[in-house]
Amino acid sequence: MEIMKQYIKVSHQYQKKSRKSWIDFDNYYSDNCYHSSLPIIFEKKRKNIIDIGTNTAKFSISALKYDNDVKCSLIDLEGQIELAKQNIEYNHFSDRVDYFSMNILDNDSKLPDNCDVVWMSQFLDCFSIEQIKFIMRKVKAVSNKDTDIFILEPLWDKQQHLSAAFSIQATSLYFTAIANGSSKMYPYKLLIDTIEGEGFKLVNEYHRIGNTYHSLLNFKMLV
C-alpha cells in the first residue's frame, strides 16, 4: 500500500511537471506575438472575440487588458477550459468571459455566434487538412461579411533564415510522428488555399510579426 501511495505521488508530480513543460514550450512560440497582433486586431472597435483553442487563455487575457470593453468567448477541451478559467479568475476578468467546453471536431459541437473577431493561435497546425476544412466550415457558420478571422501560425516557408525554416520543419516532424499523427507546420500556400477553399479570402498578412517567426493572417468570409 505504501509503495502504491509513493507511486501515485510521483506520478502526479510527473504529470504536473510534464504539463508545465508543455505549456511553457507551447507559449514560447506565440507569447511574443500578442503585443504586435493586438493593435492590428483593434484597429476597429471590437465587441466579442472568439478564442478557439484558448489553451491557458493568455491571448484572451492580453485582449481583455488591451480593451476595457471587449468580451471573449473561450473555446477548448474541458480540461483546458478549467485551466483557462483559473487564469481568467486570477486576473479578475470573469465578468467579461464566457466558456464553451467542446471538441471542435465533434459533428454536434457549435461555436457561439455574435462575434466580430475569431482568433486561432497555433491551433490549425494541430490538425490535418481535412480537419482544418471542417473547422473552417464551423467558423463560417458563425461569421458574416464583417467578421475578421485572425490566424497566427509559424509558416516554415515565410522565415527569414533557412535555419529557422529547418527548426520549424523539425518541430513539424514531432507533431506528426509523436503528437497525433496528422498535425504539422504548414507552408504558406497550402494553408491559404485550404482556408480560401472553404469560402474565405485572405485580406491582410503580416509575416515575422513582432520580430518572431510567426505570420498573422487576416481572412474575411466571401459574400
Side-chain angles (χ1 to χ4, degrees), residues 124-220:
L124 294 183
D125 59 41
C126 296
F127 303 95
S128 68
I129 290 297
E130 290 304 314
Q131 290 170 334
I132 291 174
K133 292 178 180 179
F134 180 80
I135 292 167
M136 293 311 300
R137 288 195 288 270
K138 289 202 169 187
V139 171
K140 187 177 181 180
V142 297
S143 300
N144 57 50
K145 64 181 180 63
D146 297 318
T147 307
D148 281 295
I149 295 92
F150 288 99
I151 295 172
L152 187 70
E153 285 289 343
L155 304 172
W156 63 260
D157 57 343
K158 288 296 181 180
Q159 303 305 309
Q160 183 176 6
H161 302 292
L162 184 61
S163 58
F166 177 79
S167 295
I168 291 175
Q169 288 173 325
T171 304
S172 183
L173 285 173
Y174 160 77
F175 278 109
T176 302
I178 305 298
N180 59 21
S182 60
S183 58
K184 63 184 291 183
M185 303 299 185
Y186 289 99
Y188 172 83
K189 191 175 187 303
L190 177 57
L191 187 61
I192 301 303
D193 287 351
T194 299
I195 294 171
E196 290 193 334
E198 295 305 320
F200 296 89
K201 178 67 177 177
L202 180 67
V203 293
N204 287 298
E205 53 190 283
Y206 312 85
H207 299 292
R208 300 191 297 277
I209 188 168
N211 199 30
T212 70
Y213 31 82
H214 277 75
S215 295
L216 181 65
L217 307 173
N218 180 196
F219 292 88
K220 281 187 174 293

Side-chain angles (χ1 to χ4, degrees), residues 42 46-49 63-64 67-72 96:
F42 285 96
R46 306 298 187 177
K47 294 181 179 179
N48 196 339
I49 298 174
L64 292 163
D67 187 291
N68 292 328
D69 298 319
V70 74
K71 296 182 179 180
C72 291
R96 292 162 58 196

